[in-house]
Amino acid sequence: MKFPMNLLETLRSNLPTRITRVTKVLAWATLVSNIGIILTGGAVRLTASGLGCPEWPRCTPDSWVSTQEMGLHGAIEFGNRLLTYVLVLICALMFFALLRLRGSHRPLFRMSVLILAGIPLQAVIGGITVWTNLNPWIVGLHFLLSAALVMISTMLLNRIRFELKTAREHDDLAASAGVSGVPLRQVGSDAVAAAMTPVILGATWVSVFLGTVVTGTGPHAGDPGSPRHLFDPDLVTRMHVVPVYVLCFAAIALLVRQSRTATSPAQRRCAWWLLAVILAQGVIGYTQHFTGLPVLLVGLHMLGSALLVVSATAVFESYRARYVTRGLGGSAPLAESSQHTEGLV
């Protein structure tokens, strides 16, 4: 037993002890891969390959992999299952990159744990989806959990980028050790603009949820024999539009308020990106509705939903984040002046 324990200790001792550019690259990879698995899952449904592997965790009762007799649908569904292992690898690397920083950067470490734990949970929900013949409620839950992982990945990336950015903006010693006590949110942000951000985030999630209901009512079930919601398609589409309009008005109100008050460049960028995503989603959404839901536009709309979660989260974070920098690790981080720590929670 001594040999494996020594090996584990050697591996642990070689894990990173500070935030670096590699950490940021892993955070980007975590976000992109969680968005990517949404797109590949959408491709499975849009190509009617949802039951290409009719069993779970096996592909068939007798095989762990798709067989030649299962054709293209089996290959597509099994390919999506294989991509989950790529996602696991990326998120595991993210977890290990923060493991030795769990004392000083506990919020970041907890996010990496949540993301990594969410993947096997997604796999179980995927299995239930297969067992229930692609029940639209379970399919919707599968998408919502992916969207939640995208949101957490966005938050993790924002914090890692901010730690590195804050260090770069100070002297050489700070660039080496990092700076502590700097809030991610803008200190002294306008109260009216800040009040818009929970409306934006809330409306985003309501619209994403209702979007899954619209999808579950539409024609792309993932398999010709799968059940659908029995709602009126026109009615649920109109319901889906209501929170989108709320989101539009809140985003415009935020931009108007920003034009009249002191606002950081980061806050302005986040708000404009949000508006751009909303407009793109609106164009794609109306076009797909009036052209019979072509699969390419539906897939783009799914990508837009993920980017909407990213944008809305970034806007909320720029005004409401409770995170303050801990430094990059390694040497003791420099303490920031009192003007940066006033009003921290």
Side-chain angles (χ1 to χ4, degrees), residues 10-203:
T10 300
L11 292 174
R12 179 188 175 281
S13 64
N14 283 282
L15 291 177
T17 58
R18 56 188 289 106
I19 294 174
T20 65
R21 291 181 180 178
V22 174
T23 319
K24 185 173 74 169
V25 169
L26 288 173
W28 269 112
T30 299
L31 175 59
V32 171
S33 60
N34 274 288
I35 294 175
I37 205 71
I38 289 177
L39 297 181
T40 59
V44 169
R45 181 170 59 83
L46 294 171
T47 57
S49 304
L51 294 177
C53 286
E55 297 291 334
W56 188 90
R58 292 176 180 267
C59 195
T60 71
D62 302 316
S63 174
W64 287 95
V65 301
S66 61
T67 62
Q68 187 174 0
E69 292 75 19
M70 299 170 68
L72 181 61
H73 292 317
I76 292 174
E77 165 61 6
F78 182 68
N80 184 59
R81 294 187 183 188
L82 285 180
L83 287 175
T84 301
Y85 293 102
V86 177
L87 181 61
V88 168
L89 175 62
I90 293 171
C91 295
L93 290 174
M94 185 76 259
F95 167 82
F96 286 116
L98 295 171
L99 181 60
R100 294 188 68 184
L101 290 167
R102 64 188 182 277
S104 58
H105 295 74
R106 189 169 297 274
L108 306 186
F109 176 70
R110 286 175 175 172
M111 287 178 187
S112 71
V113 172
L114 286 174
I115 295 168
L116 187 59
I119 300 171
L121 179 58
Q122 275 288 66
V124 171
I125 294 174
I128 296 172
T129 301
V130 172
W131 295 336
T132 57
N133 193 32
L134 307 183
N135 180 288
W137 290 115
I138 307 299
V139 173
L141 178 62
H142 205 34
F143 179 85
L144 290 174
L145 179 54
S146 289
L149 293 177
V150 167
M151 184 177 76
I152 298 171
S153 298
T154 302
M155 296 169 67
L156 177 60
L157 175 61
N158 284 347
R159 283 153 176 73
I160 290 173
R161 290 178 63 201
F162 189 66
E163 289 279 8
L164 291 167
K165 176 177 178 291
T166 304
R168 286 198 308 269
E169 290 175 348
H170 291 75
D171 56 32
D172 292 339
L173 180 58
S176 173
V179 181
S180 65
V182 182
L184 177 58
R185 72 166 185 254
Q186 181 78 18
V187 175
S189 294
D190 176 64
V192 176
M196 289 294 101
T197 58
V199 176
I200 287 170
L201 190 61

Side-chain angles (χ1 to χ4, degrees), residues 204-277:
T204 294
W205 275 102
V206 174
S207 66
V208 168
F209 167 72
L210 291 177
T212 66
V213 177
V214 173
T215 299
T217 308
H220 301 297
D223 187 83
S226 297
R228 310 305 291 143
H229 292 315
L230 300 179
F231 304 124
D232 178 86
D234 188 57
L235 176 61
V236 293
T237 300
R238 292 177 185 275
M239 291 175 60
H240 172 52
V241 170
V242 173
V244 174
Y245 284 153
V246 173
L247 176 59
C248 288
F249 291 137
I252 292 171
L254 176 62
L255 284 166
V256 170
R257 188 66 183 180
Q258 284 185 346
S259 68
R260 299 179 178 180
T261 58
T263 308
S264 73
Q267 289 171 332
R268 288 194 296 271
R269 283 195 301 270
C270 289
W272 280 109
W273 272 114
L274 173 66
L275 183 63
V277 172

Side-chain angles (χ1 to χ4, degrees), residues 319-330:
Y319 282 92
R320 295 276 187 156
R322 300 168 65 91
Y323 184 79
V324 296
T325 57
R326 271 80 170 167
L328 300 180

